[in-house]
Amino acid sequence: MVGIISYGAYIPRYRIRVEEIARVWGANGTEISKGLGVYEKSLPDLDEDTATISVEAARAALARRTVDPGEIKAVYVGSESHPYAVKPTAATVGEAIGATPVMTAADYEFACKAGTAAVQTCMGLVKSGMIPYGIAIGADIAQGEPGDALEYTAAAGGAALIIGNRDPIADLNYTCSYTTDTPDFWRREGKPFPRHGGRFTGDPGYFKHVLGSSRMLLSDLGTKPGDYDYAVFHQPNGKFPVRAADILGFSREQIKPGLVVPYLGNTYSGASMVGLCATLDIARPGDRIFMTSYGSGAGGDSFDITVTDVIDSDQFNRDAAPTVADMLKDKKMVDYAVYAKHKGKVVMME
Amino acid sequence: MTVPRFWRKQQSRYNLIGTTCSTCGQYFYPPRNFCPECRRDGKINEHKFKGTGKVVTYSIIRSASDQFSLLTPYVIAIIELDEGCRLTSQVICEIDAVYIGMPVKQTFRRLGTDGGSGAIFYGTKFIPA
């Protein structure tokens, strides 16, 4: 069966507290932090971007399992912050993991769910027998305009999943999607920051599509939330995924391992996939995982995943790369001035 | 740096690919296509380095050229790879954390950009192992 052959995540070391951002804008940081359910967020180093994060995540996946890079015949990178408007991040990743030149590659964009769209593409290619392995990446150095609500959560990080059908560590049993044309969040061509519809991003955006996709999967498979050991939802803040889980009937215990947003922030295309990686970090053979991503614009991708015995076998070494929890602990706090420099918000004369 | 000049060494910069002389066992990075010891008896083969090594010596850069001024202060070090050859690279760590003999490993980072609209150059730097 098609499944996850290996996985890897990458989170930059730098963090800023939500309260520090609020201090600069004269807002009540404690209230904002509590309201969002987010306490700190990651930011990239000065020489990090979506391409470097994607490469590090892909290399972490390859460190955990011996896969001949020459057999990776597809590389897809989902992101809202590709370093180039025209020139694929996926080609850089392919070169940096030794998969070039006999491979197909493309960059995806579907707000925060471009990474899971890449997973679905790889699933199709593997299932049809066109490729032995594909790598799907979701990564971002998320943009948020200074002073905008997004600035409190927009973070940096990403995850890579190697998809194949030779002894996967987790079977991808089923996937389905729910998509409509909903302008809840967008970034126009050439503009540095996205705009959004405020509360409109909640009900007709996030909840309609996350619940729509999740309910479709449960209906299609005839499963109930209680049939799953873990659940991962897209996490733009700490409140939305908890509310979605409550509405669907998933418990707090089921979502706890994959809910990384309180101390990571929203890594946009990386968000649900980093949450899945955090869940795979602690999962045991036989565990069943439910995952739904969300991308503004808008759509949700749902997955039914079962962890196999291979995750504990000699074929796979979970300890060969840092866990999400390890990377969340390894951090360096910065103030807003350093954050502004790292995010390119300080404009230098050329 | 011009795009063609960087592109020619891209594989080497991305993946620490150098060369080794199977006659004398020396390793070279950047890659050499001729062994200075064995000369015509040398047999040069491509070699992908493991990517781990240690700091031989270092300097703290506090005043850099315009392109790197945002990075200051930063660490530039001579690193001896486990296979034995040495190269110069930035080590990404606090400037008071670096020391001679510090174990390091490779990481993938931006090396520079050709202005705001030119090409972005990626490659290998090092972080504490």
Side-chain angles (χ1 to χ4, degrees), chain A residues 213-301:
Chain A
S213 182
S214 298
R215 284 174 176 146
M216 192 195 310
L217 186 140
L218 294 170
S219 166
D220 287 355
L221 294 180
T223 53
K224 304 182 294 297
D227 296 332
Y228 297 88
D229 297 280
Y230 301 109
V232 182
F233 294 98
H234 174 55
Q235 34 206 285
N237 53 53
K239 293 291 172 75
F240 280 18
V242 172
R243 194 172 144 208
D246 285 348
I247 294 169
L248 289 164
F250 289 96
S251 71
R252 301 289 165 96
E253 286 305 306
Q254 284 170 298
I255 62 170
K256 192 176 172 187
L259 192 64
V260 292
V261 66
Y263 293 95
L264 172 61
N266 179 8
T267 54
Y268 286 16
S269 299
S272 53
M273 290 174 68
V274 172
L276 176 63
C277 289
T279 306
L280 289 171
D281 282 339
I282 53 106
R284 312 305 323 169
D287 284 346
R288 199 164 176 188
I289 302 169
F290 182 97
M291 176 171 81
T292 296
S293 65
Y294 171 69
S296 289
D301 298 331

Side-chain angles (χ1 to χ4, degrees), chain A:
Chain A
M1 177 181 276
V2 62
I4 299 167
I5 299 298
S6 186
Y7 70 94
Y10 180 78
I11 298 167
R13 282 190 69 219
Y14 291 91
R15 305 282 187 281
I16 185 167
R17 292 189 66 77
V18 166
E19 288 182 0
E20 168 65 5
I21 299 171
R23 180 186 67 80
V24 171
W25 300 112
N28 185 329
T30 310
E31 263 184 25
I32 290 173
S33 232
K34 199 176 161 201
L36 291 170
V38 178
Y39 305 98
E40 57 195 47
K41 67 168 196 172
S42 63
L43 57 135
D45 204 343
L46 289 156
D47 53 2
E48 288 184 305
D49 61 22
T50 293
T52 67
I53 289 169
S54 299
V55 169
E56 288 297 318
R59 284 180 176 174
L62 287 166
R64 286 191 165 113
R65 188 158 188 177
T66 305
V67 173
D68 176 4
E71 286 203 282
I72 296 173
K73 301 291 186 191
V75 177
Y76 296 106
V77 180
S79 180
E80 294 182 39
S81 53
H82 290 290
Y84 289 97
V86 179
K87 187 190 174 306
T89 308
T92 302
V93 174
E95 193 97 341
I97 61 171
T100 51
V102 186
M103 59 169 224
T104 181
D107 287 355
Y108 278 7
E109 188 281 312
F110 194 141
C112 298
K113 80 162 193 75
T116 55
V119 173
Q120 291 176 325
T121 305
C122 287
M123 285 175 70
L125 291 172
V126 169
K127 216 165 178 176
S128 66
M130 286 178 69
I131 60 168
Y133 299 110
I135 188 159
I137 297 169
D140 257 305
I141 49 165
Q143 308 110 339
E145 192 168 15
D148 186 82
L150 289 173
E151 194 185 24
Y152 294 107
T153 55
L161 303 180
I162 299 175
I163 308 297
N165 57 11
R166 298 176 191 166
D167 297 332
I169 59 161
D171 290 333
L172 289 162
N173 304 317
Y174 188 72
T175 182
C176 62
S177 299
Y178 185 96
T179 308
T180 70
D181 183 355
T182 307
D184 59 329
F185 171 106
W186 60 89
R187 180 165 67 82
R188 295 273 299 273
E189 178 66 34
K191 300 294 180 189
F193 299 112
R195 293 185 60 183
H196 55 88
R199 288 179 184 278
F200 192 69
T201 58
D203 275 334
Y206 182 92
F207 290 103
K208 176 179 173 181
H209 296 82
V210 166
L211 300 179
S213 182
S214 298
R215 284 174 176 146
M216 192 195 310
L217 186 140
L218 294 170
S219 166
D220 287 355
L221 294 180
T223 53
K224 304 182 294 297
D227 296 332
Y228 297 88
D229 297 280
Y230 301 109
V232 182
F233 294 98
H234 174 55
Q235 34 206 285
N237 53 53
K239 293 291 172 75
F240 280 18
V242 172
R243 194 172 144 208
D246 285 348
I247 294 169
L248 289 164
F250 289 96
S251 71
R252 301 289 165 96
E253 286 305 306
Q254 284 170 298
I255 62 170
K256 192 176 172 187
L259 192 64
V260 292
V261 66
Y263 293 95
L264 172 61
N266 179 8
T267 54
Y268 286 16
S269 299
S272 53
M273 290 174 68
V274 172
L276 176 63
C277 289
T279 306
L280 289 171
D281 282 339
I282 53 106
R284 312 305 323 169
D287 284 346
R288 199 164 176 188
I289 302 169
F290 182 97
M291 176 171 81
T292 296
S293 65
Y294 171 69
S296 289
D301 298 331
S302 292
F303 296 84
D304 180 290
I305 302 163
T306 304
V307 179
T308 71
D309 293 340
V310 181
I311 202 163
D312 278 347
S313 74
D314 293 341
Q315 292 183 66
F316 187 73
N317 181 3
R318 241 190 297 216
D319 298 333
T323 64
V324 171
D326 289 340
M327 288 184 281
L328 287 176
K329 275 185 222 149
D330 180 22
K331 62 186 174 186
K332 178 178 167 57
M333 303 304 295
V334 298
D335 60 17
Y336 193 89
V338 174
Y339 162 77
K341 183 172 130 179
H342 277 235
K343 290 287 288 176
K345 291 178 180 181
V346 179
V347 180
M348 309 289 283
M349 284 176 65
E350 290 223 5

Side-chain angles (χ1 to χ4, degrees), chain A residues 47 49 56 59 84 96, chain B residues 15 108-110 120 122 125:
Chain A
D47 53 2
D49 61 22
E56 288 297 318
R59 284 180 176 174
Y84 289 97
Chain B
N15 287 310
F108 191 79
R109 297 287 177 118
R110 275 187 183 201
I120 304 167
Y122 295 97
K125 293 185 181 180

Side-chain angles (χ1 to χ4, degrees), chain B residues 86-108:
Chain B
R86 294 179 175 188
L87 56 89
T88 303
S89 170
Q90 184 184 345
V91 176
I92 300 157
C93 64
E94 316 312 322
I95 56 169
D96 51 3
V98 66
Y99 60 91
I100 290 171
M102 183 169 86
V104 291
K105 62 181 179 185
Q106 72 177 93
T107 188
F108 191 79

Side-chain angles (χ1 to χ4, degrees), chain B residues 16-66:
Chain B
L16 273 184
I17 294 170
T19 50
T20 181
C21 173
S22 57
T23 306
C24 67
Q26 273 202 84
Y27 291 89
F28 306 107
Y29 188 90
R32 283 177 182 267
N33 53 18
F34 184 76
C35 178
E37 296 294 323
C38 304
R39 302 186 70 82
R40 73 175 62 174
D41 294 328
K43 288 193 176 63
I44 294 289
N45 300 300
E46 192 175 274
H47 176 77
K48 185 177 177 185
F49 290 92
K50 283 189 292 181
T52 49
K54 64 182 179 190
V55 171
V56 175
T57 188
Y58 64 91
S59 182
I60 309 295
I61 306 297
R62 296 177 189 276
S63 179
S65 59
D66 288 351

